[in-house]
Amino acid sequence: MERTIQSALISVFYKDGLEPVVRRLHELGVKLYSTGGTQTFIEQLGIPCTAVEEVTSYPSILGGRVKTLHPKVFGGILARRDLAEDQQHVKEYEIPMLDLVIVDLYPFEETVQSTDDESKIIEKIDIGGVSLIRAAGKNHKDVVIVASRTQYSELLELLNKSNGATTLGERRRFAAAAFTECAHYDVAIADYFNRTAEGGNFQLSYGNKQVLRYGENPHQQAAFYGDSDALFSKLNGKELSYNNLVDIDAACQIISEFSGAAFAIIKHTNVCGVAERSNVSDAWTAALAGDPESAFGGVLITNQTIDKAVAEKINELFFEILIAPAFDEDALALLKSKKNRILLQQKTLFYPTKEYKRILNGVLVQDADKANFETWNEVGARPCTDAEKSDLLFANIVCKHLKSNAIALVKDKQLVGKGCGQTSRVDALRQALEKAKQFGFDLRGAVLASDAFFPFNDCVQMADEAGITAVIQPGGSVRDNDSIEYCKTHGMAMVMTGLRHFKH
């Protein structure tokens, strides 16, 4: 069913990109209605425009809170063109018909991000805009609704193509986008209020849909919803894949834990190499040495500027992605030599506050695991040395970012062995010891971190036999004393943190 736009109501907060639309509507002879700043904008273009106040015979009141909430406005949007009763009311009450509504919403999310002043935030809860959008969307059989500046170009293309005529399918597509815009807006408002008054529903809304090449595997369709541009500037390389994004998330979380010069290598969300040193070049060398085999095709991340010296070292390895807060120009030129190699400049540190997981026919929600220990309870044969304490703190962080069951072996703030994703803790330790042996590390004086308690003393015994001198674990086993006594008998230091770090 085709409808031709003969009149339009335009009232928007964001006016960038609006001018060509307004000019084209004027060329097509469309009568324009508007309010406030948008009316001024249109008139400054030299285009005639009727104020909504002239239609309603009512001024904007309550500091602009009430402008368009009037039967003569909503009647012109909601009136059904093919229903005689509606048309009789239109004639009786002299209601102007509105065929196109261009209305966006106050910047609520942006205001929440920019201020803690609740009075300013509350004023950015749009009332009239949402009502106009819903009305036009409901009557999309007759009316076109444009609810976002991101659709101006699409509308302009339509106006140019068909001289103001629209099909039902086109109007329905605009309506779907409009209702999505309102839903996202309402979720943002509910989220703001639920910070202090928890609601009973799980609500989450992300825009900016980006269709990905595929999901975890080529036969799976996938998309990313969110604004990755707020976190990164992409300096080189192909489009990010589903698996890339998952690994980038893991990489950003672990690197945010370190204050010194650190480098980490991520593979399938697990850290396979990580080290902290006095400079970025040494940090890279130590991180790579931890498991050069697994590093192949990995995601690399550092909290330091990439200079030419470290870029030359990194350039010798095949990798998918390199993330850093900055790149020297000569380093960037070298790394760009491979066109598909993804280089991301990280704008800000990232660590989530909540975690979400689809499970069965619902969603699990939990706080992100941001804490590293609850207590520092030294229960072994002796106090930790300063070097051991430094390494234990480092190892505990690394272990937190490995899939359970997990063991991390660290020496001089370098991951020298790790076991992850194992069905028993002793298997995770065997894997970690084997990795350390494979790459020639001497474990004498190394430390061990475990993501959960030791059910038996077999792990501390294996660690001791390998030369490990200190252990950190949450504790909580009914047989904690077995591991504690072994440490006391064999001169090992042991720290209990009271905080488990399962990761599934």
Side-chain angles (χ1 to χ4, degrees):
M1 183 187 303
E2 194 172 88
R3 294 278 190 251
T4 299
I5 298 170
Q6 299 179 39
S7 60
L9 170 63
I10 307 175
S11 181
V12 297
F13 186 88
Y14 295 106
K15 299 168 184 68
D16 43 311
L18 182 62
E19 180 179 343
V21 173
V22 173
R23 291 194 182 280
R24 182 57 178 153
L25 289 170
H26 179 58
E27 289 171 2
L28 293 171
V30 175
K31 183 174 179 60
L32 303 181
Y33 298 88
S34 191
T35 63
T38 307
Q39 180 187 345
T40 301
F41 173 83
I42 294 171
E43 290 174 341
Q44 286 176 347
L45 297 175
I47 294 171
C49 178
T50 300
V52 167
E53 290 88 343
E54 290 183 32
V55 176
T56 63
S57 300
Y58 222 93
S60 171
I61 62 172
L62 306 181
R65 280 188 165 195
V66 180
K67 290 184 286 190
T68 56
L69 295 169
H70 194 280
K72 279 200 171 185
V73 175
F74 282 87
I77 297 171
L78 287 165
R80 289 157 289 193
R81 275 51 168 177
D82 56 0
L83 191 65
E85 185 179 358
D86 282 11
Q87 292 308 304
Q88 177 59 37
H89 287 156
V90 166
K91 183 178 179 180
E92 181 180 353
Y93 298 109
E94 299 180 338
I95 297 172
M97 304 297 280
L98 295 171
D99 305 313
L100 168 66
V101 176
I102 303 176
V103 173
D104 62 8
L105 300 172
Y106 290 158
F108 180 82
E109 289 177 282
E110 293 88 337
T111 305
V112 170
Q113 291 169 3
S114 65
T115 182
D116 292 325
D117 186 336
E118 184 156 283
S119 64
K120 292 181 179 178
I121 293 170
I122 296 300
E123 285 308 309
K124 287 299 183 285
I125 297 177
D126 207 316
I127 304 300
V130 172
S131 301
L132 291 167
I133 291 169
R134 290 179 66 86
K138 178 175 182 176
N139 201 27
H140 68 274
K141 184 178 177 182
D142 299 307
V143 179
V144 180
I145 172 63
V146 175
S148 169
R149 57 182 164 170
T150 61
Q151 292 183 296
Y152 290 169
S153 59
E154 184 181 354
L155 174 63
L156 183 60
E157 183 180 339
L158 187 62
L159 294 172
N160 289 331
K161 180 186 75 172
S162 56
N163 295 322
T166 63
T167 66
L168 178 59
E170 289 164 342
R171 295 192 296 276
R172 187 177 182 85
R173 187 173 69 248
F174 277 107
F179 282 120
T180 300
E181 193 77 16
C182 287
H184 177 83
Y185 194 77
D186 285 341
V187 167
I189 295 169
D191 180 61
Y192 172 76
F193 280 95
N194 283 335
R195 294 178 187 180
T196 54
E198 185 89 17
N201 296 319
F202 172 76
Q203 298 176 126
L204 197 62
S205 179
Y206 287 97
N208 303 313
K209 180 180 181 181
Q210 178 188 340
V211 176
L212 304 176
R213 295 194 304 273
Y214 51 81
E216 283 186 281
N217 302 292
H219 64 279
Q220 294 172 270
Q221 294 183 354
F224 172 70
Y225 296 84
D227 185 12
S228 59
D229 290 341
L231 299 176
F232 309 103
S233 293
K234 187 161 168 286
L235 306 179
N236 190 67
K238 59 187 177 181
E239 291 300 315
L240 295 171
S241 71
Y242 181 102
N243 292 330
N244 289 158
L245 288 164
V246 171
D247 282 342
I248 289 169
D249 179 71
C252 288
Q253 289 190 45
I254 190 169
I255 205 67
S256 71
E257 302 260 20
F258 302 115
S259 55
F263 227 118
I265 304 168
I266 306 297
K267 199 75 174 287
H268 295 293
T269 73
N270 285 301
V271 57
C272 60
V274 60
E276 202 173 47
R277 291 291 183 266
S278 61
N279 62 77
V280 66
S281 184
D282 289 348
W284 163 251
T285 299
L288 179 63
D291 189 345
E293 187 175 74
S294 296
F296 183 85
V299 171
L300 321 179
I301 189 166
T302 183
N303 54 10
Q304 302 293 304
T305 297
I306 296 293
D307 58 26
K308 179 73 175 296
V310 74
E312 287 176 341
K313 293 181 180 181
I314 295 169
N315 199 48
E316 297 174 1
L317 177 75
F318 170 74
F319 63 89
E320 285 272 338
I321 301 169
L322 172 59
I323 308 166
F327 294 79
D328 287 346
E329 286 188 19
D330 51 358
L332 190 59
L334 174 63
L335 292 167
K336 280 185 172 181
S337 61
K338 302 288 176 63
K339 66 177 184 178
N340 287 332
R341 180 185 279 166
I342 299 169
L343 304 176
L344 299 177
Q345 183 172 344
Q346 187 171 7
K347 298 176 182 178
T348 182
L349 291 176
F350 168 77
Y351 205 101
T353 56
K354 294 285 186 182
E355 299 281 0
Y356 314 101
K357 182 180 288 188
R358 182 217 54 81
I359 201 79
L360 300 174
N361 59 349
V363 178
L364 285 173
V365 182
Q366 67 172 354
D367 294 336
D369 187 5
K370 300 184 78 170
N372 289 318
F373 57 88
E374 193 171 84
T375 61
W376 186 271
N377 187 17
E378 301 199 16
V379 296
R382 55 177 175 78
C384 300
T385 66
D386 289 344
E388 285 174 335
K389 183 172 183 179
S390 177
D391 277 351
L392 287 170
L393 289 166
F394 187 90
N396 192 49
I397 289 171
V398 174
C399 195
K400 184 176 81 171
H401 292 274
L402 293 169
K403 292 291 177 66
S404 300
N405 287 308
I407 295 288
L409 307 181
V410 166
K411 188 174 182 180
D412 300 328
K413 288 192 173 181
Q414 176 189 22
L415 181 63
V416 295
K418 55 96 178 56
C420 53
Q422 299 302 301
T423 52
S424 76
R425 193 149 307 281
V426 71
D427 279 345
L429 178 54
R430 288 192 188 103
Q431 185 186 59
L433 293 171
E434 183 58 36
K435 278 287 186 182
K437 179 181 178 182
Q438 180 183 353
F439 300 113
F441 287 104
D442 182 357
L443 292 178
R444 288 175 295 180
V447 305
L448 177 155
S450 174
D451 65 334
F453 64 64
F454 299 118
F456 306 102
N457 68 2
D458 48 3
C459 285
V460 290
Q461 181 177 346
M462 290 169 62
D464 176 43
E465 291 170 353
I468 291 165
T469 58
V471 174
I472 188 168
Q473 55 128 336
S477 168
V478 294
R479 300 186 65 171
D480 274 347
N481 200 52
D482 292 356
S483 296
I484 292 170
E485 287 304 313
Y486 184 92
C487 289
K488 287 182 174 179
T489 303
H490 294 83
M492 297 176 71
M494 175 178 276
V495 175
M496 287 188 173
T497 66
L499 208 62
R500 190 181 71 188
H501 293 295
F502 271 169
K503 185 178 178 66
H504 297 107

